[in-house]
Amino acid sequence: MTQMDAARAGTVTTQMRQVADDERVEPELVRAGVAAGRIAIPANARHVELGLHAHGVGAGLRTKVNVNLGISGDIANAPQEWEKVSVAEKHGADAIMDLSNSGKTRAFRRQLIEQTPLMVGTVPLYDAIGYLDKPLVELTGDDVLRVVEAHAEDGVDFMTIHAGFNRRVLDTFLETKRLANIVSRGGSLIFGLMMTTGAENPFYERFDDLLAILAAHDVTISLGDAMRGGCTHDATDASEVAELVELGKLTQRAWDAGVQVVVEGPGHMALDEVAANMKLEKRLCHDAPFYVLGPLVTDVGVGYDHITAAIGGAAAAAAGADWLCYVTPAEHLKLPDVNDVREGLIATRIAAHAGDIAKGIPGARAIDDKMSDARRRVSWDEMFDCALDPERAREVLATAPPEAEGTCTMCGKMCAARTVNRIMEGLTVDLGLDEGAPAAADAAAPTATQPAAAGQGR
């Protein structure tokens, strides 16, 4: 029985209770959301046995964050990938996608599922060529199903399947054309297969057989966005919308089979288009959870694309996106290293949290209020405890120790919080006098040397 089957039967599973506890919501809210398809809990039965910490993705829940990693043909450095896994776990990722695409990747995938409590996702098509030792153009429907079944048996919680890129969508792409063509790696492989053989996309053609495999292991299908815009020029164009229409149809078919669904979304998109795209997906795909890469709101932030993606990610989450795939500073340039993973993950967590505040997720603002209270009292340790990356905050402060305790080198003794605190404690703040003495009757009146700042810093 899948999570969706159980929810529809009125059963609250262990994983639903775990999600409810983490999110501080009622279990019934989670059950009802899973039953309706508005919430997915990617939880392969095998990974549950191995210690998965289940997370819910969808309406009314905290925006989740995914980290990509994996072995590439140019850099097959498994120890470095394990360092990335540690960073993902330490710095608050909810899921890891193993995007290994070179050689025999099963050993790494199995070990990852055995060792991490985070949700694990894969793109079986990446593994097909190495797993089967066959050229791309010779892959059949039976072949791709074999790879999907292997991933499911290993314990993969969610799989990106580019099933919506069928020949109808292909015709739209060829007719309307694009500036950046197809930038989805999986999409490009399906494109090559269909164009070379003239056949239908095997994932679309054998979709019912695919669903049977996923249902047997309770694997969530992440409907891949082969036609996502790879530049702001191509965002929400005819090809992307044509595929989104197909994904909506496949979403309903998956639900009918008891398979949970996440729908993947855009990669590049101008900031003013983000909210409309989120609403379009929700409408066409029946309010299924939406999983977006960024989106990157400009194409020229190379080297800083974790920032361009965080801007778009915050806007997307605020407008209803449920899951953000991180983007690192290495995007468009190289395989990310360990530091890139940390930078990208924290930037994406900031975006997700900002979105949660905007859409009113219960309790989202509580940590910000706690941080503000600590800042008012200039309590560094409490501020670090509230920070998304406490280590980085401590490191930055330690690089420039302040002369006056309870300040930083930005304002020194002119720290606004310190000034107001001292006045309210009845102490002098005239920087020309010996501080610490009781304030004179007029000490609270602003002077030429006493800033009357309304906030911290300038």
Side-chain angles (χ1 to χ4, degrees), residues 189-218:
L189 295 174
I190 295 294
F191 173 76
L193 181 62
M194 287 195 291
M195 289 295 289
T196 302
T197 65
E200 180 59 274
N201 176 353
F203 288 113
Y204 179 78
E205 192 171 45
R206 301 290 297 276
F207 194 65
D208 290 334
D209 296 327
L210 171 73
L211 292 177
I213 295 171
L214 301 183
H217 300 271
D218 200 1

Side-chain angles (χ1 to χ4, degrees), residues 2-5 8 215 218 253-260:
T2 67
Q3 295 288 329
M4 177 167 270
D5 290 335
R8 288 173 171 171
D218 200 1
R253 287 173 63 182
W255 286 344
D256 290 344
V259 175
Q260 299 180 99

